[in-house]
Amino acid sequence: MNDKKVKGIEPYDRPAGGWGALRAVASALAGQMAVGRESVALTKMNQPTGFDCPGCAWPDPKHTSSFEFCENGAKAVSWEATGKRAKPGFFAANPVSQLWNLSDYALEGLGRLTHPMAYDAATDTYREVSWDDAFARIGKALRALPDPDMAEFYTSGRASNEAAFLYQLFVREFGTNNFPDCSNMCHEATSVGLPESIGVGKGTVTLEDFDHCDAIFCIGHNPGTNHPRMLTTLRECSLRNVPIVVMNPMPERGLERFTSPQHPTEMLTGKSTPIASTYYKVKIGGDVAMLKGMMKSLLERDLADKAFISEHTSGFEALAADIAATRWDDIETVSGVSRADIEVAADIYANAQRVIVCYGMGITQHKHGTENVQQIANLMLLRGNVGKEGAGIAPLRGHSNVQGDRTVGITEKPNQALIDGIERTYGFKAPATHGHDAVAAIQAIRDGRSKAMISLGGNLAVAMSDPEASFAAMRKLDLAVHIATKLNRSHLILARESIILPCLGRTEADEQATGMQSVTVEDSMSMVHASQGSLKPASEFLKSEPAIVAGIARATLANSKVDWEGMVADYDRIRDGIESVFPIFEDFNQRIREPGGFRLYIAASERNWVTEDKRAHFLVARGLHEDGLVRGGDTLLLTTIRSHDQYNTTIYGLNDRYRGVTGRRDVVFVNPEDLAARGLKHGDRIDVVALGAEAGQHAEREVRGFVAVSYDIARGSVAMYFPEGNALVALENHDAKSGTPAYKSVAVTLHAARASDTRAA
Ligand SMILES: Nc1nc2c(c(=O)[nH]1)N[C@H]1C(S)=C(S)[C@@H](COP(=O)(O)OP(=O)(O)OC[C@H]3O[C@@H](n4cnc5c(=O)[nH]c(N)nc54)[C@H](O)[C@@H]3O)O[C@H]1N2
Ligand SMILES: Nc1nc2c(c(=O)[nH]1)N[C@H]1C(S)=C(S)[C@@H](COP(=O)(O)OP(=O)(O)OC[C@H]3O[C@@H](n4cnc5c(=O)[nH]c(N)nc54)[C@H](O)[C@@H]3O)O[C@H]1N2
Ligand SMILES: [Mo]
């Protein structure tokens, strides 16, 4: 479809995985100046006795002993285990104003942080400080706040259960529930939406269920890049002839075909396994329309499971009335999929006795993310596909422990059980007033209501919508503390006092007073297991995240009820605390010593519905969501996605192999007909302008000089990379129910770039 040659754009015609993935690992390792650390590390990844891969939250096969290969896991590990170091001498020689000019890629490329540092305004540099000094400064600044609710405590989903539990304990003893966390930008729509539907905010399936399912739906996620080990599971299902139905506006290679590096014959013969049996290029934001279409088709043909519905659910009549009132014309327009095609999807669904639906950010990061999630639950409940072997709902979580962090108390809305558990165990009364999520935290900082921010990992200012607003807000802080492994842009946005605290990564040995420690994590399927690093730490001055949290707590809380030192000396004591506060962790220390760990109880998996009426709920979403409606004129809907060479705001490289992009990220994927309708051509430089309500208070929200790439994406839909596209997302543009930013539904127009931007593409 592309007649013109554009630098760095060449369709990729091979399967996902295969030799391309092995080559990419080799070059990732070489690029980090491997000195053996990484290759040693890779053999310990996702082993019963090794460390948990920091890449994603896809579960490990139980009792596995063979190394499960994953290109992007290898990149994540080599990125952490790099031989490069960003030392105090470097910071002394490079003022922050100069570091600011480096790209995000270059900043993290400086390597691992080695010393605690504090910003010195006189020289505009970060200067080495002692740990004691750093903790004392932080404690003093926090105590100086007139109100504990004027501080924000961010958590990245990379943090272990032990670090996160200590962190929430400290913050609650300090006196606030301000817990913005990365889940707020990610699966909050799941955490808010699923409890209303099925009584729990987590997925209901286990990895073993994939061995028993007879159809899989993959909606709005890209496993080839973001959950690569999932391709092994999908491959096995495909080989069992399980239909795999994809709903995605883009043709994602990992969902099309896969060559497994684990299988020598596939590698040597160049064969691949097809993944999707049917691929629906639904329009961005068209999912509710398609899901309602499938339900309509089922109901019209009387294919609902009446026995299950009457025994286990409520709300069916209202749902049926809503679906009956929804017109096929509208369903087709909004979804971009024909009635005939939707009926095929409904047939596949109805012909299967055990269906699993997997979904990711293509569902949650919308203005109606919560309702999107709930329509998936409706579809599943219609035929009893929740709470039986081989069937269920599988949200693909983001960070490797984002789910665990929530389980152990990182939440801005604590329930009574959590408050009581803390009082029972530690003897202090935790605050009950709801705190801030991520969007609310930035708004509070912007408005001067919050003056301090501590970040346990992450690069929040860049990951958030509207970085310009976030950057300006962060500059108003009195105190900014970053607990991190590598330098990123958020660290360079200076507060009155800015402090960087370097921590151990998950691959590294963590030795405390009683010996080597392990931590625990919970994956997407509620499996909790231990993770123990073995590499020599990147610097002798690093501390573990639990030790850093405890250090801050001791410097801040005058008469703390918590034995911080004792817990850090022996993480078993932290786990005893977790078990006492959260009884579902019964026998925690025994159970994580078993290879593969254990699964937390998920009531809905056993058809135990933890809702007021003890039933699962059909929930009506009004209309088909304007997200998917082209708003007349020239409007298109923009989604912002990850490339193959990035981990969130960490950019490993400038390639997006499966989408055929090499050496650049300044691209906008557009359907050829949408390009032609605007008089634009493949390779043209364009400006992207965000519109209307989406633009929030700024009429002029735009990014300029990007390159239009003619691409087989659904009509009316355009895509660009995150975080390049974040400037187009207003802070106010989020799901009303869950607060999840609408990173994937931004109404935009495209224009030939102004003269100043027309460099050669
Ligand atoms: N290597 C690597 N692994 C990662 C990450 C990473 O950055 N790199 N990030 C981690 C984190 S924190 C997360 S949250 C996960 C994210 O994992 P994903 O959910 O896979 O993330 P995205 O790249 O945002 O892509 C979502 C997919 O949704 C599709 N999509 C976009 N809009 C729509 C829509 O309206 N409807 C539908 N049906 N589909 C749509 C896109 O085409 C894309 O294929 O991955 C985790 N794993
Ligand atoms: N437009 C758009 N924006 C998005 C998204 C999108 O799809 N589109 N996705 C959103 C989602 S789902 C997410 S989760 C966010 C996340 O976005 P980020 O905040 O970028 O995510 P992280 O990977 O948590 O943060 C990266 C930083 O974590 C630090 N780090 C790495 N390992 C460790 C460790 O072991 N300990 C500590 N303390 N620090 C460490 C490093 O310093 C690194 O710079 O972005 C969100 N933003
Ligand atoms: Mo995420």
Side-chain angles (χ1 to χ4, degrees):
M1 86 180 76
N2 307 335
D3 33 18
K4 183 178 156 200
K5 278 244 20 100
V6 180
K7 191 163 172 259
I9 309 294
E10 191 78 55
Y12 183 80
D13 51 14
R14 278 161 288 159
W19 294 105
L22 289 185
R23 269 194 296 274
V25 171
S27 81
L29 295 180
Q32 290 303 307
M33 302 194 303
V35 282
R37 254 165 71 96
E38 300 87 332
S39 25
V40 174
L42 288 175
T43 60
K44 301 250 182 194
M45 181 159 72
N46 293 335
Q47 295 296 305
T49 57
F51 64 91
D52 182 68
C53 176
C56 77
W58 184 256
D60 310 315
K62 221 177 175 182
H63 306 305
T64 180
S65 60
S66 70
F67 164 61
E68 221 196 337
F69 171 82
C70 165
E71 171 191 344
N72 279 353
K75 286 184 205 155
V77 168
S78 63
W79 200 248
E80 180 174 302
T82 176
K84 298 181 188 174
R85 299 287 177 273
K87 293 188 179 168
F90 171 83
F91 285 99
N94 290 280
V96 169
S97 52
Q98 282 177 24
L99 293 176
W100 185 261
N101 296 327
L102 297 180
S103 67
D104 295 338
Y105 173 66
L107 287 176
E108 292 208 23
L110 295 171
R112 291 286 299 275
L113 297 163
T114 59
H115 291 69
M117 284 176 301
Y119 179 69
D120 171 46
T123 55
D124 184 32
T125 55
Y126 269 107
R127 295 273 160 170
E128 181 186 346
V129 289
S130 71
W131 279 103
D132 283 345
D133 188 18
F135 289 148
R137 288 196 204 190
I138 296 166
K140 187 167 167 222
L142 287 176
R143 283 195 310 268
L145 292 172
D147 181 343
D149 286 332
M150 291 177 75
E152 306 290 342
F153 297 87
Y154 178 78
T155 315
S156 156
R158 178 98 53 139
S160 64
N161 286 332
E162 289 71 11
F165 177 77
L166 281 194
Y167 192 52
Q168 63 82 37
L169 195 61
F170 154 58
V171 172
R172 295 202 156 99
E173 194 174 17
F174 175 65
T176 182
N177 283 313
N178 286 344
F179 286 108
D181 90 302
C182 78
S183 182
N184 297 144
M185 298 180 274
C186 192
H187 264 290
E188 194 66 19
T190 298
S191 307
V192 170
L194 284 187
E196 292 178 359
S197 293
I198 58 168
V200 297
K202 298 182 182 183
T204 67
V205 302
T206 63
L207 201 50
E208 286 71 42
D209 284 318
F210 283 83
D211 297 338
H212 304 284
C213 67
D214 43 32
I216 300 175
F217 285 73
C218 290
I219 314 182
H221 69 104
N222 182 21
T225 289
N226 297 318
H227 304 90
R229 287 177 298 117
M230 183 185 191
L231 294 188
T232 310
T233 304
L234 292 178
R235 175 182 178 275
E236 281 161 13
C237 294
S238 168
L239 292 172
R240 278 201 298 121
N241 293 320
V242 171
I244 299 175
V245 179
V246 174
M247 292 163 56
N248 196 311
M250 299 188 78
E252 304 289 23
R253 182 51 41 90
L255 289 165
E256 294 173 333
R257 52 187 206 273
F258 174 51
T259 296
S260 168
Q262 239 90 261
H263 292 83
T265 35
E266 270 193 5
M267 291 295 280
L268 292 174
T269 56
K271 272 176 50 187
S272 60
T273 305
I275 300 294
S277 52
T278 322
Y279 206 116
Y280 292 101
K281 245 168 245 141
V282 61
K283 282 185 184 173
I284 290 170
D287 301 282
V288 162
M290 172 130 182
L291 291 163
K292 283 198 181 184
M294 287 173 67
M295 291 191 268
K296 192 171 177 72
S297 168
L298 296 174
L299 293 172
E300 283 173 356
R301 293 182 287 155
D302 204 16
L303 290 172
D305 178 342
K306 292 192 193 99
F308 175 85
I309 291 172
S310 74
E311 188 185 342
H312 290 284
T313 70
S314 60
F316 175 72
E317 286 71 25
L319 177 81
D322 173 66
I323 299 289
T326 310
R327 296 173 40 226
W328 276 112
D329 276 3
D330 294 334
I331 289 173
E332 290 185 319
T333 313
V334 178
S335 67
V337 183
S338 71
R339 174 176 179 174
D341 284 345
I342 293 174
E343 301 214 300
V344 172
D347 282 343
I348 296 172
Y349 177 78
N351 287 335
Q353 297 310 308
R354 298 153 192 278
V355 181
I356 294 177
V357 173
C358 310
Y359 67 90
M361 300 296 100
I363 285 294
T364 59
Q365 293 175 333
H366 281 283
K367 283 192 87 143
H368 303 279
T370 303
E371 292 189 346
N372 287 353
V373 169
Q374 293 177 338
Q375 295 311 301
I376 290 178
N378 287 345
L379 175 70
M380 295 301 270
L381 292 171
L382 268 190
R383 287 183 49 84
N385 273 311
V386 182
K388 68 177 179 194
E389 186 179 56
I393 303 178
L396 292 158
R397 295 278 168 175
H399 260 298
S400 50
N401 197 41
V402 59
Q403 184 161 317
D405 292 346
R406 302 309 290 266
T407 307
V408 300
I410 302 294
T411 167
E412 73 279 6
K413 299 182 196 116
N415 59 21
Q416 198 55 44
L418 169 54
I419 294 170
D420 293 346
I422 289 179
E423 185 164 21
R424 183 173 67 235
T425 311
Y426 298 103
F428 70 86
K429 195 127 200 96
T433 320
H434 289 181
H436 297 149
D437 65 6
V439 168
I442 303 280
Q443 287 168 334
I445 297 170
R446 178 192 67 193
D447 302 343
R449 286 177 280 122
S450 283
K451 294 307 260 179
M453 167 119 196
I454 297 191
S455 293
L456 182 58
N459 184 11
L460 180 62
V462 178
M464 247 302 155
S465 347
D466 197 351
E468 221 178 296
S470 306
F471 288 12
M474 301 290 194
R475 292 198 177 95
K476 293 162 73 176
L477 286 168
D478 288 340
L479 174 72
V481 179
H482 302 279
I483 300 163
T485 50
K486 290 200 179 177
L487 189 67
N488 66 44
R489 191 161 306 281
S490 293
H491 308 162
L492 303 179
I493 303 173
L494 299 168
R496 187 172 299 163
E497 185 150 37
S498 292
I499 294 175
I500 301 176
L501 303 175
C503 65
L504 293 174
R506 211 178 272 169
T507 54
E508 291 166 324
D510 179 356
E511 187 166 10
Q512 303 293 345
T514 62
M516 280 303 167
Q517 305 297 318
S518 61
V519 294
T520 60
V521 292
E522 175 185 340
D523 65 32
S524 272
M525 297 182 188
S526 305
M527 295 295 302
V528 179
H529 58 86
S531 168
Q532 188 170 47
S534 52
L535 295 184
K536 185 167 169 253
S539 139
E540 61 184 297
F541 302 104
L542 302 185
K543 282 188 189 289
S544 74
E545 289 179 334
I548 293 173
V549 170
I552 297 175
R554 290 175 59 204
T556 307
L557 307 170
N559 299 305
S560 177
K561 305 253 192 210
V562 178
D563 174 14
W564 299 102
E565 241 169 318
M567 288 214 275
V568 171
D570 181 356
Y571 294 1
D572 276 359
R573 291 187 210 148
I574 307 180
R575 285 184 283 271
D576 286 339
I578 294 176
E579 176 176 342
S580 168
V581 175
F582 304 99
I584 46 163
F585 283 93
E586 192 183 350
D587 292 334
F588 195 6
N589 275 309
Q590 283 92 300
R591 285 198 288 167
I592 51 135
R593 284 179 165 77
E594 281 163 32
F598 63 95
R599 182 160 189 249
L600 289 173
Y601 176 67
I602 299 293
S605 298
E606 291 164 30
R607 296 196 169 169
N608 173 8
W609 316 108
V610 191
T611 56
E612 262 173 27
D613 60 357
K614 300 270 178 284
R615 286 173 167 265
H617 298 159
F618 288 104
L619 296 167
V620 172
R622 267 169 298 116
L624 294 177
H625 297 167
E626 282 128 71
D627 294 15
L629 284 172
V630 175
R631 293 151 201 227
D634 268 350
T635 311
L636 300 165
L637 217 57
L638 170 81
T639 197
T640 52
I641 53 176
R642 292 158 170 78
S643 80
H644 194 60
D645 276 4
Q646 77 182 83
Y647 193 91
N648 297 336
T649 61
T650 296
I651 310 299
Y652 300 131
L654 300 177
N655 301 344
D656 191 8
R657 191 166 75 249
Y658 298 149
R659 298 194 186 108
V661 180
T662 310
R664 65 192 316 162
R665 291 177 54 88
D666 59 345
V667 295
V668 183
F669 300 98
V670 193
N671 182 288
E673 290 176 55
D674 286 326
L675 273 181
R678 285 158 186 76
L680 296 168
K681 292 187 306 300
H682 178 62
D684 280 357
R685 287 273 177 194
I686 57 171
D687 297 339
V688 185
V689 180
L691 292 181
E694 275 63 45
Q697 298 133 341
H698 310 265
E700 292 291 275
R701 200 172 287 281
E702 62 178 347
V703 297
R704 293 169 61 174
F706 278 62
V707 173
V709 171
S710 175
Y711 206 75
D712 188 16
I713 184 173
R715 271 219 76 180
S717 306
V718 287
M720 59 193 294
Y721 296 127
F722 134 61
E724 283 79 356
N726 289 36
L728 295 166
V729 191
L731 209 47
E732 292 71 22
N733 186 11
H734 58 75
D735 176 19
K737 274 191 98 160
S738 69
T740 313
Y743 296 122
K744 289 187 168 50
S745 42
V746 185
V748 297
T749 53
L750 307 182
H751 310 270
R754 283 167 240 185
S756 59
D757 287 324
T758 39
R759 292 155 285 153

